[in-house]
Amino acid sequence: MSFSCAALVGAFVMLFSFLFALIAIGTINWAVLPTPHGEVQANVGLLWACLPQGSALGGSGCTIIHNGKKATPNSMYFTIEQLHGGSVSSGGKATFTFLLVGLVCSLGATLCAFPLSLHMSAGKMLKYVVVLAAVAASGAVGLSWLLYASIVFGKSNHQLDNPVGDFAPGFSFAFCVIASVLPLLSSCLFMLA
């Protein structure tokens, strides 16, 4: 039984892309609010945010980001949402949606790539489906981090009613960027198969 080395490597690259995106969607380090001394004041995920014990923002623990609709002035989500004028919730939900689309495309490309590498199918048609799914995954994941960057990081401190500092990207954001580049590499490998 013959196999295509380029398609097999491309399948594993797609698998790594899927795992990077899965880790990014499930972690709460998309944006961090550092203090001037370097400690973290808040960790923000796509749908959750956490304040460490003794945070200057008041409160501690994790909560769902509600866009301020269910917040009372002394609650933790009031603090998180007010610190960036609602952009945290909007950016997180938009990013979550596009990242889910990217995960589905990435999973489809990964599952179809392994039979492609073993020459178990019709060949050309499956190759084009896998390449299209990989490019779609790259586009959806790339659009997700671009949305997050423009919505959450695009609002500077001086534009806010209650300025507390500017967000910095965290490791989850970096994982999402990596997960958007890897499918392009794997689509090139699929074309060589």
Side-chain angles (χ1 to χ4, degrees):
M1 176 183 241
S2 67
F3 71 94
S4 170
C5 187
L8 188 62
V9 171
F12 279 108
V13 170
M14 278 306 301
L15 181 63
F16 287 130
S17 171
F18 176 79
L19 293 175
F20 271 104
L22 196 62
I23 291 168
I25 204 170
T27 53
I28 59 159
N29 207 337
W30 276 80
V32 293
L33 184 65
T35 63
H37 304 294
E39 300 93 28
V40 173
Q41 217 169 238
N43 288 320
V44 179
L46 297 179
L47 304 175
W48 287 81
C50 293
L51 298 175
Q53 187 72 16
S55 172
L57 297 175
S60 65
C62 297
T63 186
I64 295 174
I65 301 170
H66 287 290
N67 202 16
K69 292 178 183 158
K70 297 181 181 178
T72 58
N74 293 325
S75 71
M76 188 169 72
Y77 18 86
F78 177 79
T79 304
I80 291 167
E81 271 314 301
Q82 294 306 314
L83 77 112
H84 249 254
S87 67
V88 173
S89 177
S90 301
K93 289 175 186 173
T95 300
F96 186 79
T97 303
F98 279 97
L99 205 48
L100 278 180
V101 171
L103 280 170
V104 169
C105 293
S106 182
L107 184 62
T110 302
L111 292 177
C112 290
F114 283 108
L116 177 69
S117 67
L118 298 174
H119 298 292
M120 293 174 57
S121 65
K124 278 235 186 259
M125 186 59 149
L126 184 62
K127 178 194 279 190
Y128 293 132
V129 168
V130 171
V131 169
L132 182 67
V135 170
S138 177
V141 174
L143 187 59
S144 72
W145 69 260
L146 282 172
L147 279 171
Y148 197 82
S150 63
I151 295 172
V152 176
F153 299 137
K155 192 169 262 201
S156 65
N157 199 25
H158 69 277
Q159 296 172 312
L160 303 172
D161 294 334
N162 303 323
V164 292
D166 288 329
F167 280 121
F171 72 83
S172 303
F173 184 81
F175 276 20
C176 191
V177 172
I178 293 168
S180 71
V181 174
L182 289 178
L184 294 177
L185 173 64
S186 65
S187 64
C188 291
L189 290 170
F190 294 142
M191 290 304 288
L192 294 174

